[in-house]
Each structure stands twice: as C-alpha cells, then as structure tokens.
Amino acid sequence: MLRTPSGGAGSGAAAADSGPMSIGTVLNVLREEFPEVTISKIRFLESEGLIEPERSPSGYRKFSAGDVERLAQVLRMQRDHYLPLRVIREHLDAVERGEAAPLPALSRQRSGEPVPELSEERTAARIGRAELLAAAEIGEQDLQEWESYGLLAPLEDGLYDAEAVTVASLVAQLGRFGIEPRHLRVMKAAADREAGLVEQVVAPLKRHRNPQTRILAETRSRELAGLTVKLHAALVQTALGVRLP
C-alpha cells in the first residue's frame, strides 16, 4: 500500500498488488491523490534519479508497485513540505537503507537550492509516436482518427507532449461508452478557451526579463490549470446531478 512519509495510508493502494505498469497506468494511479501530476512530471523525476523503473526489451518503462509508492512519497513531500528534490532523494535513499532518517524540516524557500530551469522538465516531456501508441495502448488507426478531429497533434519536431498519453487513454475509455471522437470536439474547443484565459493571466509574467519571474509564470499556469480542471469537473457534476467518487 502507498503510504505517506509519516506512515498514513495513501491512495492508489491497488497498485501494490499489480504487475509491471506502463507510465500511463502509473499516471492514472497517482492522479487519485495528485490530480495535477503529468507524465512529463514522472519522466522528469526519473531523470533526476528519484525512481529507476525497469525497461522492457523494446525500451519501454515498466513500473513496479514500489516505484509508484516512491513516486507518491516524492510528490507528497514536494506538496506538503516544499522539499527540494535533492533532499527528498537523500531522505528516501536513507530510509531504503534502513537508516533512521527523520523528515527534514526544510522549505523550498529557505533551502537555497536554485530552482531548475523550465527547460529541464520540458526536455523530458516529449515522446515519440511509437511510445505514445504503446503507453496509451491504442492502434495507429485510432491515433490518425483522433488527430483528424484535433484531439491530438504532434509538436513541430514530430514528437508529442507526454500529456498526449493521458488524452489518448481517456478518449479510448470514453469510446467504450459509445462516445466517438467527433463528439469530443466540443470538449477540445472548451479546453482551448480555458487555456486562452490562463494564458491571458500569465502572459505579463512570461514576458518578464527576470528568469525567476518566468518560472513563476509556469507555476502560476499549473495552479490555474488545476483550478480550471476542478471547476470544470464540478460544473459537469452539477449539471448531471451526480457526484464523482
């Protein structure tokens, strides 16, 4: 079972009894507790040495239940204690060695550790077409159809934002209920409008000469994106008269 650093039970416990998981499956497990986590975030944490998932013969990541639990611990310590990744890594490594390692009382604002440039995470946020197909467990024909409706699109370099796996997985799940890609164009249009609103708010920060201010713009974008997602979900639930579990 996933547990917090203090020993409390966390979400996603079902992952503990599963076999090797794809990065898309890991994302779905973690989002029960961390709705704003993305595949790019998972890949970035791997690049920083926080996890070391196994690789299949074809090179795809295979996450164990232990990897998912460690990811959850990292995300909690970032969220609840504002610890830098270096401190989190050292703490978890010490715990795994069986050493007495109390959780450091350190905040990001006081740590003195430089904030990583945005490009570090974005570099790890690109996946190829074959990796997208494998992670989302879809076929080439499905992807072509979804692209024709604008639900997915490659970037200028031909790669995809890693969040495309989430989109593809959700489109596939909705399809099992008879909701076709053409029905989802209204959702895509609404998402584009919401993104435009967020961009208007953070645009002055993005244009600032100070690199720290530009990093703040990215943080603010994520915060606003999380709020808009929650609001959208609440509005849909209200309209349908249901409550999600």
Side-chain angles (χ1 to χ4, degrees):
M1 176 180 290
L2 302 180
R3 296 189 179 276
T4 63
S6 60
S11 63
D17 299 324
S18 65
M21 291 171 275
S22 69
I23 194 169
T25 302
V26 172
L27 179 69
N28 290 334
V29 171
L30 291 174
R31 276 190 164 167
E32 294 179 16
E33 182 177 353
F34 310 99
E36 297 176 20
V37 71
T38 63
I39 283 182
S40 62
K41 176 71 171 181
I42 297 173
R43 290 165 62 94
F44 178 65
L45 293 176
E46 179 189 0
S47 72
E48 291 294 303
L50 274 301
I51 53 169
E52 296 181 2
E54 295 183 359
R55 296 273 182 163
S56 68
S58 56
Y60 296 117
R61 295 170 179 81
K62 291 297 181 181
F63 294 83
S64 67
D67 292 327
V68 179
E69 180 176 354
R70 186 174 169 105
L71 277 170
Q73 290 176 327
V74 171
L75 294 170
R76 289 190 196 103
M77 283 188 273
Q78 281 192 308
R79 179 193 64 193
D80 301 337
H81 302 281
Y82 303 101
L83 294 171
L85 294 180
R86 174 184 57 79
V87 174
I88 293 174
R89 181 172 58 248
E90 293 173 354
H91 171 75
L92 292 179
D93 289 346
V95 171
E96 289 185 355
R97 291 193 299 268
E99 301 175 6
L103 192 65
L106 180 68
S107 72
R108 183 181 298 134
Q109 290 79 8
R110 296 194 298 267
S111 68
E113 181 169 298
V115 179
E117 291 292 333
L118 299 180
S119 58
E120 293 181 22
E121 185 166 344
R122 286 180 174 173
T123 299
R126 302 288 187 263
I127 60 175
R129 192 176 186 89
E131 187 174 4
L132 170 59
L133 294 174
E137 300 179 347
I138 60 174
E140 174 65 32
Q141 185 175 356
D142 294 321
L143 181 54
Q144 289 180 4
E145 181 184 9
W146 301 347
E147 287 179 331
S148 71
Y149 285 106
L151 300 175
L152 289 162
L155 303 171
E156 293 181 358
D157 56 6
L159 299 178
Y160 293 82
D161 188 296
E163 191 68 11
V165 177
T166 302
V167 175
S169 298
L170 291 173
V171 171
Q173 291 179 49
L174 288 169
R176 299 188 187 107
F177 290 89
I179 300 178
E180 300 178 10
R182 59 189 177 87
H183 299 144
L184 301 177
R185 288 180 295 184
V186 62
M187 292 187 180
K188 179 62 167 61
D192 289 340
R193 290 194 295 271
E194 292 169 6
L197 178 60
V198 172
E199 285 292 332
Q200 289 180 22
V201 174
V202 302
L205 297 176
K206 287 186 174 182
R207 293 194 296 265
H208 205 281
R209 292 183 178 181
N210 189 328
Q212 296 297 320
T213 303
R214 293 198 297 271
I215 292 174
L216 175 61
E218 181 74 9
T219 302
R220 189 65 52 77
S221 294
R222 291 176 179 175
E223 293 174 352
L224 290 171
L227 290 173
T228 58
V229 168
K230 291 178 181 178
L231 175 60
H232 183 85
L235 291 173
V236 171
Q237 291 180 70
T238 300
L240 294 174
V242 299
R243 176 175 291 276
L244 295 178

